[in-house]
Amino acid sequence: MATLLHIDSSAFPGEASSSRSVADAFRKAWEEQHPQGTVIYRDVAANPVPHITADAWSAGFTAPSERTPEQSAAFAAREKLIEELEQADAVLIGAPMHNYSIPSTLKAWLDNVIMVGRTSGENPSAKGTPVTVVASRGGSYAPGTPREGNEFVQNYLEAVLKGMLGLDVDFIVPELTLAPRNPAMSELVPLYEASRERALEDAATKAKELAERLAA
């Protein structure tokens, strides 16, 4: 049966997080299509993975028999994350925009799973795996908006997930998530609500379509 790797990184819990809410809608639709499937879930905000260290990095370029005890221990934790990615039939990532970029906890996960000669390079080990990214943001950074030039989440993740890991990347983008909380954005609440509803619908639709594609 199919395996979904689900990564959440929002600092906000539950319904307070748009990326978590939309990712949950995707996961629910996925599980309906794969009731006997497996979901590997990592909440890197609640349980951060280790930031990459010199031992964890250098171990990837050192033969197992020649690694120091420190390298072996650091690489064991890193390899578990890599294996989860390699074993997944599909990946779901909640990636809210934090100060124009992704959360540091998500960056730490990426630094661990990107390994030249294995997950990246000429023949990435997870090449072609579909990944759906819920890239929520407090404002709008769409083409033509004043802050278009500050959109570093999709650009970065496209380069890393597709360019380095060779994954098949698709985005769902809930916008204006700060509108209900920021009085200065009150006029934008209807646009936020429309964006959220569209994102929830997209999540369910994309999950079902992906499930059908993998089953074909």
Side-chain angles (χ1 to χ4, degrees), residues 159-173:
V160 173
L161 297 174
K162 182 178 180 180
M164 296 185 72
L165 295 174
L167 306 181
D168 181 8
V169 187
D170 191 17
F171 288 95
I172 300 173
V173 185

Side-chain angles (χ1 to χ4, degrees), residues 97-149:
M97 180 182 282
H98 285 187
N99 300 318
Y100 302 130
S101 186
I102 63 172
S104 63
T105 51
L106 180 56
K107 178 63 163 58
W109 178 81
L110 287 167
D111 286 342
N112 275 277
V113 300
I114 296 171
M115 181 177 171
V116 177
R118 182 168 174 176
T119 59
S120 70
E122 291 188 10
N123 295 294
S125 55
K127 183 177 181 179
T129 302
V131 53
T132 303
V133 180
V134 181
S136 60
R137 59 276 316 277
S140 179
Y141 301 81
T145 61
R147 293 190 176 183
E148 176 185 356

